[in-house]
Amino acid sequence: MTVYQISSSSSEGASVDYGATGMTAILQSVSFLLDTLVDSYPMHREFGMDPPIDDPSETAKNEWSAQVIEKLERNIPQVSVQEVIVHQDETDLLNGRIQTTVKVVIEIDTI
């Protein structure tokens, strides 16, 4: 069992490999979903994340973590989320950004 760590900030500026298959495609999908906001896609409005806005509380971080787990496991069935780490420093708060890192296990049988 291999655990992969993917960060929401790691996909900034990264190019999309449209021919990706197997493990690469799944990891790319996780990164893409972490950086996609709800209502971004006209034909699939509920796809994406709906981060807590203007709420730096622990409750908001816990709700965000639950949403990340639910959305990843629902949209990418090969993925099992092991841990969600939410990080905000002062510059993140000023820019309105939440950095999320997930540790996932990918079910090899389903690839």
Side-chain angles (χ1 to χ4, degrees):
M1 173 170 77
T2 305
V3 177
Y4 297 91
Q5 183 169 318
I6 303 141
S7 177
S8 62
S9 59
S10 67
S11 65
E12 286 182 15
S15 61
V16 176
D17 179 6
Y18 292 103
T21 58
M23 196 71 67
T24 306
I26 294 169
L27 295 174
Q28 181 174 284
S29 295
V30 171
S31 180
F32 179 76
L33 184 55
L34 284 175
D35 286 333
T36 302
L37 295 176
V38 167
D39 291 334
S40 300
Y41 291 93
M43 300 302 281
H44 191 21
R45 293 278 184 200
E46 66 274 358
F47 179 82
M49 299 296 186
D50 188 16
I53 298 174
D54 296 331
D55 190 358
S57 70
E58 284 301 313
T59 303
K61 288 180 184 179
N62 290 336
E63 289 173 0
W64 173 245
S65 296
Q67 182 186 154
V68 167
I69 293 168
E70 188 266 327
K71 295 267 184 160
L72 285 175
E73 290 183 351
R74 179 171 28 127
N75 288 296
I76 309 168
Q78 302 92 339
V79 169
S80 175
V81 179
Q82 298 297 308
E83 184 178 1
V84 177
I85 304 162
V86 179
H87 174 72
Q88 280 184 308
D89 60 22
E90 198 165 306
T91 33
D92 292 333
L93 290 172
L94 292 174
N95 294 326
R97 178 139 178 118
I98 298 172
Q99 291 184 349
T100 306
T101 302
V102 293
K103 292 183 180 180
V104 297
V105 173
I106 297 173
E107 310 265 337
I108 304 260
D109 307 352
T110 58
I111 296 179

